[in-house]
Amino acid sequence: MRIEEVSSKGNAVLDEVRKAIVGKDEVLRLILTTILAGGHVLLEDLPGLAKTLMAKSFATALGVKFRRVQFTPDLLPSDILGVSVFNQKTLEFEFKRGPIFTNVLLADEVNRAPPKTQSALLEAMQEMQVTVEGKTYELERPFIVMATQNPIEQEGTYPLPEAQLDRFLVRLRVGYPSREEEIEILRRRMARKKEEVDVRPVLTPEEVIEMQRAVEDVYVSDPILEYITDVVLATRDNRKEIEVGASPRGSLALLRLSRAYAALQGRDYVIPDDVKAVAVPALSHRLILKRELWYTRVSQERVMEKLLERVPVPKFE
């Protein structure tokens, strides 16, 4: 698939999702960028900001299978992965596949499940497979985990460990709509006369996979590779605000996202603006800030934005 097709098909998906979501264009573009990069999305924001609707709308527009799991304190790994059941007719155990065997898995309120259940996602997110009772099962392609969590609710939750946060390619915050956007939300609800929003499929799973493969052909010059490296190194060198900076996985995340972002713009090469556009959502959740900053409510995103301003941007003649 040519890059021009990736751009046109990607914009068709975005146009379809915009039927359900008012505004938030940059958030929607970053979600699609992450999907094309073959990564997973963590949506972290307050309840009622359409995080679940975003996930469902993207799955529908992409033409892929969608499953939703509501994470609760009593959720077991087998509730996600599946379980072996004894068949009395064949006198053999049969594996009943869980909801993880899908294309887009919505892990709703992922931080409500205990660590044992959260860790059940690790192998699937990293290696696109699950192992149950010593047997390995391949997951379908494409496979995307879209997880949500409420950042202000701490009671009855289990914060995601750094190892699992690192598996998410991006962490996005949706934010409240503007006054005009909220009025438009109400107008659309009155016009359609029902709660559900009609979103139609514009792609097939095979086309999504072709688009992901096409992203691998996007060219990245040496100056851009050096710029990506310098941005990640800046997170490690800022000892004043950052306790632990991004790992090489952060560099790879920037590379993957920059190429996908460029492809959505219709370019077969990456420019510095592509790196800037994805750097904050790609790296902020990989930073551990100094303990004293916790009390000042300085966010990881704000620290990352200031770092980006200080890293020299490569110039091309």
Side-chain angles (χ1 to χ4, degrees), residues 31-290:
I31 291 175
L32 184 55
T33 298
T34 307
I35 291 171
L36 293 185
H40 309 288
V41 182
L42 177 61
L43 294 168
E44 184 176 282
D45 221 316
L46 303 172
L49 295 180
K51 300 185 294 296
T52 300
L53 181 59
M54 282 183 185
K56 190 174 182 179
S57 299
F58 267 108
T60 303
L62 292 170
V64 299
K65 290 189 288 186
F66 173 79
R67 299 290 295 273
R68 175 180 180 269
V69 177
Q70 181 65 50
F71 278 55
T72 56
D74 60 348
L75 192 73
L76 299 174
S78 58
D79 295 328
I80 302 172
L81 305 181
V83 65
S84 292
V85 178
F86 186 71
N87 188 325
Q88 293 185 340
K89 291 183 179 179
T90 62
L91 301 180
E92 293 179 347
F93 282 95
E94 295 179 355
F95 180 63
K96 298 295 183 182
R97 299 189 171 205
I100 202 167
F101 289 89
T102 186
N103 296 124
V104 174
L105 176 70
L106 174 60
D108 212 358
E109 294 187 287
V110 65
N111 57 332
R112 285 199 171 279
K116 185 176 182 179
T117 303
Q118 291 177 7
S119 65
L121 289 173
L122 284 178
E123 182 183 10
M125 292 172 68
Q126 186 65 32
E127 301 173 34
M128 302 294 184
Q129 65 182 31
V130 297
T131 302
V132 179
E133 297 178 0
K135 190 171 182 180
T136 300
Y137 302 87
E138 293 288 329
L139 295 174
E140 297 181 49
R141 304 296 197 277
F143 175 70
I144 307 293
V145 173
M146 297 183 71
T148 71
Q149 65 176 4
N150 179 352
I152 65 168
E153 198 168 32
Q154 302 301 325
E155 189 173 341
T157 63
Y158 303 84
L160 292 175
E162 302 304 323
Q164 187 154 342
L165 275 175
D166 212 28
R167 295 301 195 281
F168 288 98
L169 204 58
V170 296
R171 180 181 66 186
L172 298 172
R173 302 187 193 276
V174 180
Y176 286 119
S178 66
R179 182 176 183 273
E180 292 73 19
E181 290 169 349
E182 195 147 355
I183 293 172
E184 178 62 20
I185 291 171
L186 301 178
R187 283 201 184 109
R188 290 191 188 184
R189 173 59 183 86
M190 290 179 63
R192 66 176 180 265
K193 297 183 178 181
K194 59 180 181 178
E195 285 295 332
E196 298 78 18
V197 183
D198 294 323
V199 177
R200 64 181 180 85
V202 296
L203 295 180
T204 64
E206 292 73 26
E207 287 178 307
V208 176
I209 293 171
E210 284 183 38
M211 292 169 73
Q212 291 176 335
R213 287 173 179 161
V215 168
E216 292 295 332
D217 294 326
V218 174
Y219 174 71
V220 185
S221 64
D222 284 343
I224 295 295
L225 291 177
E226 292 169 6
Y227 180 51
I228 289 173
T229 304
D230 289 341
V231 169
V232 173
L233 288 177
T235 68
R236 302 174 199 166
D237 295 338
N238 184 2
R239 310 306 296 176
K240 183 178 178 181
E241 297 175 300
I242 300 174
E243 188 74 41
V244 179
S247 69
R249 187 179 282 146
S251 304
L252 291 169
L254 265 186
L255 176 65
R256 291 164 62 188
L257 287 164
S258 299
R259 298 171 94 183
Y261 197 87
L264 271 181
Q265 309 297 321
R267 280 183 280 100
D268 61 356
Y269 58 91
V270 174
I271 62 175
D273 283 348
D274 298 326
V275 180
K276 283 184 172 182
V278 300
V280 174
L283 297 180
S284 59
H285 62 295
R286 305 174 198 273
L287 310 180
I288 300 178
L289 302 184
K290 292 283 188 180

